[in-house]
Amino acid sequence: GGPRPLPGQEVLVKVLGALEDGGLVERDPRLIFVPGHGDVVQALELGVPTMQPGEVSFFLASFPYAYGRPGREPDVPPEAPLLFEVTLLEVRDGPDPQPLPPAVRLRLGSQRRERGNFHFARADFAAALRSYRLSLRALDGPTTAPPGPEEEEELREQRVKCLNNCAAAELKLGRAEEALAACEAALRISPDNGRALLRRGQVGLAWPHTTPLPSARPSSYPPLLSPQLLAEQGRDADAALVLRRALELDPANKVIHTELSRLAKRQSSPSNT
């Protein structure tokens, strides 16, 4: 009885998970999570919000909704389906962000980014973007103590990875302006990050010809063409400059070579002369 969980609410469940041969691989009498935050396998993310408090449900999950193609060492084999028995014990409002040790923030951030990668591989780009944003929220959340030098560096690297992934997902969703903002945020942290430069070049290629690419860059970012010239030439000049800068940093990157080749072909086509 009672209402089903709403977005953002926290759930308390009892979970048992078994392989096809009956081997028990999950046993948690009091698992707490917020559906949609990427902290549990997708079978639970999708299944628990359909339940009411007190309900007992069985979810037979094919491997993409369990531990994916690689499985989970040492107890879940590759491509293993799982049977979950889930009891929804309680639904409550989600807690306010709590201060966490830097190591826990790093673990949560990595976990949610990997969940985003899982969604991205399945072409569910909206879900991937949601997981990447939740990862950033974990990485930037309140902390119980200042991170040490190594933790601070790892936090910085994970933020850049997440922002690059956000840009890729935004591009897949056709949102070039949001992708550009994610690229710029990554480049503010790491001005010479090759992947962020590549993504920014791809944003330039995705931008409408009739619309100049915005030019709100940090001072540490390599200077590009003026807004006036961009307004005259459209996206291609901006994209070419960024891609060439990315190629300087990573000369062997085949993706950058492919993007530059695609740009050169388009610039030499009769419609652009």
Side-chain angles (χ1 to χ4, degrees), residues 10-101:
E10 187 177 73
V11 297
L12 171 63
V13 298
K14 174 185 176 184
V15 178
L16 297 174
L19 300 169
E20 287 182 307
D21 63 7
L24 197 63
V25 294
E26 299 283 355
R27 184 198 297 271
D28 194 328
R30 295 185 64 82
L31 174 64
I32 299 172
F33 67 97
V34 178
H37 278 201
D39 296 329
V40 295
V41 297
Q42 199 173 13
L44 301 182
E45 292 267 14
L46 297 174
V48 171
T50 71
M51 300 174 63
Q52 293 177 283
E55 182 177 343
V56 181
S57 294
F58 290 87
F59 301 118
L60 180 59
S62 58
F63 72 85
Y65 297 91
Y67 286 97
R69 195 171 299 280
R72 182 190 68 185
E73 293 185 353
D75 54 351
V76 179
E79 299 187 8
L82 291 179
L83 177 64
F84 291 98
E85 178 188 315
V86 183
T87 306
L88 179 54
L89 302 173
E90 188 179 351
V91 178
R92 54 203 182 199
D93 290 336
D96 293 330
Q98 298 296 314
L100 298 172

Side-chain angles (χ1 to χ4, degrees), residues 113-126:
R113 178 170 52 83
E114 289 172 3
R115 178 58 55 181
N117 293 345
F118 173 83
H119 292 308
F120 195 98
R122 298 179 66 243
D124 189 348
F125 304 118

Side-chain angles (χ1 to χ4, degrees), residues 8 21 43 57 154 158 170 174 179 181 208 213 224 244 267 271:
D21 63 7
S57 294
E154 190 173 351
Q158 284 211 35
E170 297 282 17
L213 193 64
L224 301 182
R244 290 191 187 107
Q267 288 178 322
S271 60

Side-chain angles (χ1 to χ4, degrees), residues 113-266:
R113 178 170 52 83
E114 289 172 3
R115 178 58 55 181
N117 293 345
F118 173 83
H119 292 308
F120 195 98
R122 298 179 66 243
D124 189 348
F125 304 118
L129 185 61
R130 185 166 58 249
S131 291
Y132 295 145
R133 287 173 174 169
L134 287 167
S135 176
L136 287 169
R137 188 184 303 174
L139 294 170
D140 294 331
T143 184
T144 56
E150 291 184 3
E151 290 173 326
E152 186 59 54
E153 176 65 17
E154 190 173 351
L155 284 166
R156 186 187 69 84
E157 291 178 359
Q158 284 211 35
R159 288 188 188 102
V160 172
K161 287 180 180 179
C162 250
L163 288 164
N164 282 330
N165 290 354
C166 284
E170 297 282 17
L171 277 173
K172 290 290 187 180
L173 292 168
R175 300 201 291 242
E177 189 168 359
E178 289 83 353
L180 177 66
C183 292
E184 298 292 2
L187 289 165
R188 280 194 290 273
I189 300 172
S190 180
D192 285 335
N193 183 266
R195 186 173 293 275
L197 288 166
L198 171 60
R199 291 275 184 261
R200 198 184 191 288
Q202 291 173 324
V203 172
L205 289 169
W207 207 266
H209 275 290
T210 56
T211 305
L213 193 64
S215 185
R217 286 173 296 276
S219 58
S220 58
Y221 188 63
L224 301 182
L225 300 178
S226 70
Q228 292 80 11
L229 189 55
L230 280 174
E232 296 173 5
Q233 296 186 353
R235 66 193 180 186
D236 290 354
D238 187 44
L241 195 58
V242 177
L243 287 169
R244 290 191 187 107
R245 174 61 177 149
L247 193 63
E248 290 176 9
L249 297 167
D250 190 2
N253 191 306
K254 294 181 180 179
V255 177
I256 301 174
H257 282 282
T258 299
E259 295 291 343
L260 279 169
S261 176
R262 184 160 68 94
L263 177 59
K265 288 179 181 178
R266 190 173 67 199

